[in-house]
Amino acid sequence: MGNQVVIFGLGQEEYGMPIEIVREITRLGDIRPIPKAPDCVKGLINLRGSAIPLIDLHVRFGVEKNRTVAKDAEAAKEDFALITEVNGDLVGFAVDQVREVRILDNIAPPPPLVTAPFIGGIVNLPDRIIMVLIPDRILAKDELEGIAKLV
């Protein structure tokens, strides 16, 4: 039996995140910036009275958005956040779109030249490739601790 993952789009690429760590999928609303936060930290979002740090995966992965600058503010309202549990804390990951929840079979280890620690596997489908992420490895331990201090 395969692994159930949430598949989402980020720029031109597709990624998957194990569904067991995704607590919620929500549309992005107001984002409050955090002074002196790392570039990949977009800010805080309010989720039913809790302040959740939001990580911009575009910045973290160096992936460009598929939008024009003039439409960014309006288009950002169409973005989603995957609310996940990372090392026991809730963290939101900003993504362009959530495409589907799917069971993926045959998740292969990443090729030797793919050295990003957060890529846990690759699924080669007939029409696309999906990179399966390990959320606990998207941010380094010291970055997680730094974000916890900012919140």
Side-chain angles (χ1 to χ4, degrees):
M1 186 169 157
N3 298 312
Q4 194 170 23
V5 298
V6 176
I7 297 173
F8 61 92
L10 191 68
Q12 297 291 325
E13 305 302 323
E14 284 187 305
Y15 297 89
M17 198 170 284
I19 197 161
E20 62 268 10
I21 59 96
V22 177
R23 299 291 172 245
E24 186 169 335
I25 300 169
T26 185
R27 282 197 181 273
L28 281 179
D30 290 334
I31 302 168
R32 302 285 179 225
I34 304 171
K36 298 185 180 181
D39 289 342
C40 68
V41 178
K42 233 176 161 166
L44 294 173
I45 57 173
N46 182 344
L47 186 65
R48 289 182 296 288
S50 294
I52 309 290
L54 183 68
I55 308 304
D56 187 343
L57 289 181
H58 294 95
V59 174
R60 187 66 185 164
F61 295 174
V63 174
E64 291 196 29
K65 289 190 175 198
N66 291 335
R67 347 192 135 101
T68 61
V69 174
K71 295 182 180 179
D72 267 353
E74 191 60 34
K77 294 178 183 175
E78 298 172 9
D79 288 349
F80 288 86
L82 297 178
I83 308 301
T84 66
E85 190 172 320
V86 175
N87 294 331
D89 294 318
L90 289 180
V91 175
F93 292 104
V95 302
D96 292 336
Q97 54 186 198
V98 177
R99 298 205 171 133
E100 63 182 308
V101 175
R102 181 174 178 165
I103 294 175
L104 295 176
D105 295 314
N106 304 324
I107 298 176
L113 292 177
V114 177
T115 59
F118 49 81
I119 297 178
I122 306 286
V123 178
N124 194 4
L125 298 174
D127 58 339
R128 61 197 209 225
I129 293 175
I130 297 171
M131 291 176 267
V132 180
L133 303 178
I134 303 171
D136 288 352
R137 295 186 185 167
I138 292 174
L139 296 172
K141 185 178 179 181
D142 61 328
E143 289 174 312
L144 286 170
E145 290 170 358
I147 291 169
K149 290 177 184 174
L150 291 171
V151 177

